[in-house]
Amino acid sequence: MGLYDDDNAAITSGDLCDVIYWQTKFSHLKLEAALKSRQPEYAIRGLIPSVTNGAADVLKTYPNHAEVKAWADKATLIAGKIDPNAAPADFKGDFAHWKDYSYEAGWRSYHMAKMAAATESWGVTLDHARETITQLTRSKDRMATWPADVQQFVQTALPEMEKLKELAASKR
């Protein structure tokens, strides 16, 4: 039992300043996008462990977080519906940004940097702002075919994180 475990148990919703939370949220959103765009069952099956395992890890620290529980429950439900003999198939159509590691890492660090800044955790803010810049800069060269809203996020996030990086560096 840790000193602040009761505080964590009291959190039942909302975003968390926790890397695994953001990684799991990305996996959940990716699963939702895969279902919405009717991706092949075989490809969807590969997404399930990221959601269920990530949610299990988050729930160890935040055991009453209803949204994370719902992500895990939905992923488990979907897993039970997938044909175990589904033919091997990759994602189809406009799914490239969901498979781009740099985009995922940049998206995750972007949210971590913003949350850390809100609590004035300047070292964490600086680390994640730098990581956002590194990863989203890598993604820029590959995003020509990505959806407009994703491209807009990358183009907006980069200068925002440059400013946040400078602010965090000045506060340390």
Side-chain angles (χ1 to χ4, degrees):
M1 178 82 149
L3 178 61
Y4 301 110
D5 286 353
D6 290 341
D7 294 348
N8 293 339
I11 297 172
T12 59
S13 65
D15 292 333
L16 304 169
C17 192
D18 181 292
V19 172
I20 297 173
Y21 167 83
W22 286 105
Q23 185 171 330
T24 305
K25 185 170 185 170
F26 187 90
S27 296
H28 162 72
L29 294 172
K30 186 178 189 178
L31 176 61
E32 290 292 321
L35 293 169
K36 184 177 178 182
S37 61
R38 303 186 67 81
Q39 296 295 328
E41 289 186 41
Y42 184 88
I44 289 174
R45 181 173 48 209
L47 301 177
I48 302 294
S50 297
V51 179
T52 56
N53 295 340
D57 287 344
V58 172
L59 291 170
K60 286 176 190 172
T61 305
Y62 305 96
N64 297 311
H65 199 288
E67 293 157 312
V68 176
K69 285 180 182 180
W71 300 342
D73 291 346
K74 178 145 188 198
T76 300
L77 177 71
I78 297 303
K81 293 181 175 184
I82 293 175
D83 178 357
N85 299 311
D90 198 5
F91 295 102
K92 60 185 172 106
D94 188 19
F95 217 72
H97 68 286
W98 290 110
K99 297 189 310 180
D100 188 278
Y101 174 77
S102 292
Y103 173 69
E104 177 182 348
W107 183 91
R108 177 178 60 235
S109 284
Y110 170 85
H111 292 288
M112 279 296 299
K114 290 185 66 101
M115 292 205 75
T119 61
E120 298 183 359
S121 298
W122 299 117
V124 174
T125 302
L126 182 59
D127 289 345
H128 283 284
R130 285 178 178 153
E131 182 67 5
T132 301
I133 293 163
T134 298
Q135 297 299 341
L136 293 184
T137 298
R138 289 179 181 154
S139 291
K140 268 179 81 168
D141 294 337
R142 296 187 290 271
M143 68 179 198
T145 61
W146 295 1
D149 62 325
V150 176
Q151 290 186 44
Q152 182 62 39
F153 167 75
V154 172
Q155 292 168 348
T156 303
L158 283 169
E160 182 181 351
M161 287 296 113
E162 287 288 352
K163 288 179 185 171
L164 190 56
K165 179 183 87 172
E166 290 175 21
L167 174 64
S170 75
K171 299 285 188 177
R172 286 183 45 142

